[in-house]
Amino acid sequence: ASSTSSVQKDCTSVTPPYSSLIKNLNTVRDILGNRPLTLAEKILYSHIHAPQKSLVNGRLVRGETYLQLSPERVAMQDASAQMALLQFMSAGLAKCAVPVSIHCDHLIQAVKGAASDLERSIISNKEVFDFLESAARKYGIEFWRPGSGIIHQIVLENYAAPGMLMLGTDSHTPNAGGLGMLAIGVGGADAVDAMTGTPWELKAPEIVGIHLTGKLNGWATPKDLILHLAGKLTVRGGTGRILEYFGPGVADQSCTGLATIANMGAEVGATTSTFPYSANMRAYLEKTGRAPVARAADEAAAQGFLSADKDAEYDEVIEINLSELEPTINGPFTPDLATPISAFGKFIEKEGWKDEFSAGLIGSCTNSSYQDMTSVADLARQAKAAGLTAKVPFLCTPGSEQIRATMERDNLTSALEDVGATVLANACGPCIGQWKREDKTDGENAILTSFNRNFKSRNDGNRLTMNFLASPTIVTAMSFSGKLSFNPITDSIPLPSGELFKFSPPTSQDLPSAGFAAGDLSYYPTPSPAPQPDTEIVVQKDSQRLELLEPFASHFGTESGNPRGLELPELKVLLRVRGKCTTDHISAAGPWLKYKGHLTNISENLLITAVNDEGGEVNVAFDHDHDASQPSTDTIPGVAKRFKARKQPWALIVDDNYGEGSAREHAALQPRFYGCSMIIARSFARIHETNLKKQGVLPLWFVDKSDYSRIGSGDKLETIGLEDLLNGVPDAGIRVKVTKLNGEVFEIPTRHTMSTDQLHWLRYGSALNYIRRQLS
Ligand code: MIC
Ligand code: SF4
């Protein structure tokens, strides 16, 4: 079944309940003494659960107060949904408390091209897709099957709406902020809060105002704005903060351009990003079959709900003049190493890297809008007219079936294929290491992508592949030269005729004049399906892909064998991790994605790319208690397994921004599964810190960052003060007594960020154990 006109949507299920939100907001406004509010505050505060009860003393301090929120919707992708559903199932409810959608996108491997890749991936992941589909049927969840597209693009096209609050089990969930809402990336256990109707807790973020003036010109795109900002803010700059854009420069950007900016707010650690409602958002809603949502949003905007109040106060304001922005290329290995294109050639030369790259990749959840695709097709046509084809493999992943079908109808696909591009399935593919690369399997090489993330080993599993992030137009133009130093704005490409070819700045169209083509209608799920409680969810006993979850044991009480009361049992340090340690280091993706629903199997990848600060080696840990039959060192998961076998609970010592990157909660589940009870960090990334708390691991921050180097593997750690905290004694902080291997003893001070509720999670062993108690 195929159709060329856009699908009719059931807009009743996706229109935010504006009047009750505004009413709730007014209650909060009264409590706060009617001070002017930012847009992000309005959206957050309108979703506070029972404000009269939860805002005790009328106090709400950004960066301090914990808010109890009621999100309106949850979206989950196939990799993270497995754990989220396994946890939800163990809560024993018959249906979800809010609308939920599941998107099959991460598990599709790119090898040859859309059709065969999809077919092969459906077979190889059948067990998992069947599991997700049956769970969706049982609990009344909208199920977007493999091939339908990437979660964030589908959410933008179908579910996102101005003023909404949504959670997604993926760090790039903020993409939906392009429609003027707050969409927040979380771990599966947080999604379970919303799915069970438990208020979801978030420390009121600080709000950074980003004031946009001027106009983008020539080759500069919204992607360049966020690449530039990432360079300014660094991968830590957004932690605990929402980025709220405002000013005259917002209205000119297309809705999908804003989504790209919001998407990559994840790269600076921001809680999310948002923008005031605009005419372009209205146009996007209308073109994607949601005119009734646009009409309702117009009314809400007229009441001042969808933009900041005059004189609203930001915690910091950053000025960006769009007229001064130039295309920017970020990387390698970190998304915040930003170089303007005019300086990029020199940068490559200075680093001594070869002036070549081996593949150009466009699309993904970050950059596969109609606007992106019309602009790259324009460049492809210019190149074709000059007789050029791409110099390097040139791959494109459309974000959704709707985009794919519209590209095909409007001859954008053929324009790309004419110059040698391969159009892959509507899925994550190479962005998440689902890329069976047959050309470069090892050795140093560079790739250029329009994706969002570029940590080591991410795309093709090769640690030496340098991934540079750029706008789709820059990636495309450079793919015709194959040289990293090529700047399409100033440089020309020599043609066989001896003439020189220079690109004209790309032209684009933000929305298709003929509307979006729906493509294969069988990809669209029934809106708000009724739960079918009789559906059986099959998890085979000997399955290598799925495993039912055993609740984690509490650290305290007689069963735990812990003699220390409400202090953690005595812990042994497994490892001191050096430097950057993202969730990709803690729980690698690529080939491991297939074990996302099997905790025992996926735990084999624990920290396998982390650097041991004692010695500097990757994936090596020391076992100071080994017996005669065991070597004194092993892989990190190897030593963790030995500790588990000895029932020896353990701790990690880690560096700054520990757990940056994704929302994957496996990075918290896996250490907990092997017996990790505490992690002391120089600092944590937000989502990961919460994920640890949810699974009953205590995250502590060094008060004095230099204490990091005083603690090493084999040292014994004892908490002092946790018992008081759990007993509600006013917070005096937790001290940690360190007994070094050589017998030396000292104490260090630490800080924590645990709210009262989060302390319950620790006490019962996990948030889920606590929810189960509450529900029973
Ligand atoms: C990513 O982009 O890193 C992922 C894969 O989408 C992750 C989610 C996951 O690991 O399940 C994310 O961003 O949260
Ligand atoms: Fe998929 Fe990549 Fe987007 Fe994550 S960042 S959702 S892996 S396309």
Side-chain angles (χ1 to χ4, degrees):
S2 175
S3 152
T4 48
S5 61
S6 75
V7 268
Q8 267 320 303
K9 308 248 164 83
D10 168 11
C11 291
T12 47
S13 70
V14 295
T15 307
Y18 289 119
S19 51
S20 66
L21 291 175
I22 292 172
K23 200 164 150 236
N24 205 40
L25 176 63
N26 288 338
T27 310
V28 178
R29 275 187 190 280
D30 282 346
I31 298 175
L32 301 185
N34 290 306
R35 64 175 166 81
L37 299 177
T38 66
L39 167 62
E41 286 182 298
K42 288 186 192 180
I43 303 177
L44 271 184
Y45 302 168
S46 64
H47 289 86
I48 292 182
H49 174 76
Q52 253 123 351
K53 262 201 259 151
S54 70
L55 288 180
V56 267
N57 321 329
R59 248 173 74 85
L60 196 172
V61 183
R62 300 199 299 231
E64 225 179 80
T65 310
Y66 272 97
L67 305 176
Q68 309 280 327
L69 301 164
S70 307
E72 286 156 67
R73 172 172 282 281
V74 171
M76 311 197 276
Q77 38 89 338
D78 52 0
S80 51
Q82 300 171 53
M83 257 326 151
L85 287 167
L86 288 165
Q87 295 177 76
F88 177 71
M89 279 158 57
S90 64
L93 296 182
K95 61 177 186 150
C96 301
V98 296
V100 181
S101 57
I102 295 177
H103 305 265
C104 298
D105 53 3
H106 282 60
L107 295 178
I108 294 144
Q109 194 187 33
V111 184
K112 294 218 153 55
S116 61
D117 290 354
L118 196 58
E119 202 177 316
R120 196 175 348 84
S121 300
I122 290 175
I123 296 171
S124 63
N125 295 294
K126 183 168 185 322
E127 187 184 352
V128 172
F129 291 143
D130 286 351
F131 165 76
L132 294 175
E133 191 176 8
S134 57
R137 213 173 320 123
K138 186 176 182 90
Y139 300 117
I141 295 172
E142 294 185 28
F143 181 73
W144 294 79
R145 68 186 172 86
S148 57
I150 307 174
I151 176 169
H152 311 303
Q153 183 67 32
I154 294 189
V155 164
L156 193 72
E157 289 169 357
N158 296 278
Y159 300 129
M164 176 188 273
L165 176 68
M166 177 186 119
L167 302 184
T169 58
D170 190 283
S171 63
H172 294 105
T173 302
N175 187 72
L179 261 175
M181 58 179 282
L182 294 183
I184 303 184
V186 294
D190 285 54
V192 171
D193 286 349
M195 287 158 71
T196 55
T198 311
W200 176 70
E201 199 174 63
L202 177 74
K203 189 188 272 178
E206 292 185 352
I207 319 283
V208 180
I210 303 185
H211 187 221
L212 302 184
T213 53
K215 262 192 169 20
L216 287 175
N217 52 44
W219 289 74
T221 66
K223 176 68 163 256
D224 300 299
L225 160 62
I226 188 66
L227 290 172
H228 165 80
L229 191 63
K232 269 190 142 163
L233 285 174
T234 80
V235 288
R236 272 176 256 166
T239 311
R241 310 165 102 190
I242 292 180
L243 307 183
E244 176 174 324
Y245 294 77
F246 68 103
V250 175
D252 289 342
Q253 312 310 320
S254 64
C255 168
T256 51
L258 298 179
T260 298
I261 298 172
N263 178 300
M264 279 193 71
E267 277 32 78
V268 298
T271 302
T272 190
S273 303
T274 196
F275 308 85
Y277 182 55
S278 69
N280 284 338
M281 292 181 192
R282 178 185 312 115
Y284 184 77
L285 283 170
E286 282 164 356
K287 280 273 186 218
T288 49
R290 291 172 290 169
V293 179
R295 276 196 300 276
D298 283 344
E299 276 173 37
Q303 296 176 61
F305 183 50
L306 300 176
S307 54
D309 289 334
K310 201 170 150 282
D311 300 327
E313 266 179 49
Y314 294 97
D315 293 277
E316 180 188 345
V317 174
I318 298 176
E319 292 288 340
I320 296 188
N321 181 347
L322 298 171
S323 314
E324 287 168 4
L325 270 185
E326 72 167 302
T328 298
I329 303 183
N330 289 21
F333 307 133
T334 186
D336 57 357
L337 181 58
T339 312
I341 195 159
S342 56
F344 193 67
K346 281 254 150 36
F347 169 63
I348 297 296
E349 197 187 312
K350 193 181 104 242
E351 295 292 335
W353 290 323
K354 277 202 208 130
D355 185 12
E356 62 181 32
F357 63 100
S358 56
L361 299 103
I362 57 170
S364 90
C365 69
T366 321
N367 272 113
S368 57
S369 64
Y370 189 74
Q371 185 170 38
D372 290 332
M373 294 302 141
T374 48
S375 60
V376 296
D378 175 46
L379 294 175
R381 288 189 187 113
Q382 292 183 36
K384 185 181 174 211
L388 292 172
T389 51
K391 265 263 172 57
V392 291
F394 182 41
L395 308 175
C396 171
T397 33
S400 69
E401 171 63 3
Q402 175 175 299
I403 285 288
R404 186 209 60 76
T406 313
M407 283 172 70
E408 195 171 282
R409 182 200 64 197
D410 293 356
N411 299 321
L412 307 177
T413 308
S414 54
L416 293 178
E417 286 174 346
D418 282 353
V419 293
T422 305
V423 177
L424 300 170
N426 311 320
C428 301
C431 178
I432 191 55
Q434 293 281 40
W435 182 20
K436 192 139 174 290
R437 225 182 150 183
E438 267 143 16
D439 54 342
K440 304 258 176 219
T441 42
D442 54 11
E444 191 166 280
N445 76 104
I447 59 174
L448 270 180
T449 81
S450 73
F451 306 162
N452 45 23
R453 197 162 270 171
N454 56 358
F455 304 138
K456 276 189 185 154
S457 308
R458 182 174 170 94
N459 305 103
D460 58 2
N462 174 4
R463 288 178 60 75
L464 299 175
T465 296
M466 300 186 280
N467 173 355
F468 292 97
L469 309 169
S471 73
T473 40
I474 291 297
V475 175
T476 303
M478 287 175 71
S479 294
F480 290 94
S481 137
K483 282 193 170 34
L484 286 173
S485 63
F486 176 72
N487 176 354
I489 308 170
T490 50
D491 302 346
S492 307
I493 301 177
L495 299 172
S497 64
E499 277 175 61
L500 290 177
F501 165 74
K502 190 161 173 287
F503 283 104
S504 308
T507 55
S508 69
Q509 191 177 333
D510 68 352
L511 292 169
S513 333
F516 283 104
D520 184 343
L521 288 176
S522 71
Y523 279 124
Y524 296 80
T526 323
S528 329
Q532 299 179 26
D534 295 340
T535 312
E536 198 195 345
I537 303 179
V538 187
V539 175
Q540 305 286 0
K541 255 210 150 39
D542 57 349
S543 167
Q544 292 305 305
R545 302 290 302 269
L546 296 164
E547 177 185 52
L548 291 175
L549 282 177
E550 286 288 328
F552 293 128
S554 165
H555 306 293
F556 317 104
T558 38
E559 262 170 51
S560 70
N562 171 12
R564 303 191 66 239
L566 287 177
E567 297 293 345
L568 287 179
E570 185 179 88
L571 309 175
K572 193 151 273 194
V573 175
L574 182 98
L575 177 73
R576 182 168 78 222
V577 179
R578 176 187 295 176
K580 198 177 190 68
C581 190
T582 69
T583 50
D584 278 75
H585 293 81
I586 309 171
S587 174
W592 295 94
L593 280 177
K594 60 175 170 298
Y595 298 127
K596 285 274 193 177
H598 197 294
L599 187 53
T600 306
N601 283 349
I602 198 165
S603 294
E604 296 283 340
N605 79 0
L606 179 71
L607 288 160
I608 55 174
T609 54
V611 180
N612 185 338
D613 192 42
E614 296 168 282
E617 284 180 278
V618 173
N619 195 18
V620 171
F622 308 110
D623 179 5
H624 300 275
D625 303 314
H626 67 101
D627 62 30
S629 69
Q630 294 169 318
S632 61
T633 63
D634 199 342
T635 59
I636 296 171
V639 174
K641 273 196 271 186
R642 292 186 195 182
F643 279 28
K644 184 177 165 89
R646 289 176 206 145
K647 299 202 171 23
Q648 170 62 61
W650 50 274
L652 287 174
I653 302 299
V654 299
D655 220 318
D656 262 314
N657 210 22
Y658 180 72
E660 80 176 78
S662 79
R664 70 188 67 144
E665 65 185 330
H666 300 75
L669 284 157
Q670 295 173 213
R672 175 74 162 109
F673 172 68
Y674 283 142
C676 177
S677 308
M678 178 169 89
I679 299 184
I680 317 183
R682 284 183 157 152
S683 61
F684 286 98
R686 174 192 63 91
I687 305 180
H688 185 60
E689 190 188 18
T690 312
N691 286 345
L692 289 171
K693 293 175 181 172
K694 288 254 154 177
Q695 302 306 339
V697 179
L698 174 65
L700 293 179
W701 300 56
F702 287 108
V703 167
D704 178 351
K705 286 192 178 184
S706 68
D707 284 340
Y708 163 87
S709 336
R710 296 173 71 199
I711 310 177
S713 62
D715 293 352
K716 286 191 230 152
L717 306 182
E718 290 162 82
T719 54
I720 306 170
L722 179 62
E723 173 142 28
D724 282 350
L725 192 64
L726 289 173
N727 281 332
V729 174
D731 194 1
I734 299 172
R735 299 181 66 76
V736 174
K737 177 173 155 199
V738 184
T739 308
K740 302 281 303 170
L741 271 178
N742 65 10
E744 188 199 339
V745 178
F746 58 89
E747 277 181 30
I748 58 155
T750 66
R751 311 190 276 114
H752 71 87
T753 62
M754 307 280 280
S755 70
T756 316
D757 262 319
Q758 295 173 341
L759 287 169
H760 293 309
W761 308 343
L762 184 69
R763 182 158 195 161
Y764 292 103
S766 72
L768 195 58
N769 290 354
Y770 180 59
I771 294 186
R772 261 195 299 256
R773 268 184 72 95
Q774 303 282 91
L775 293 174
S776 66

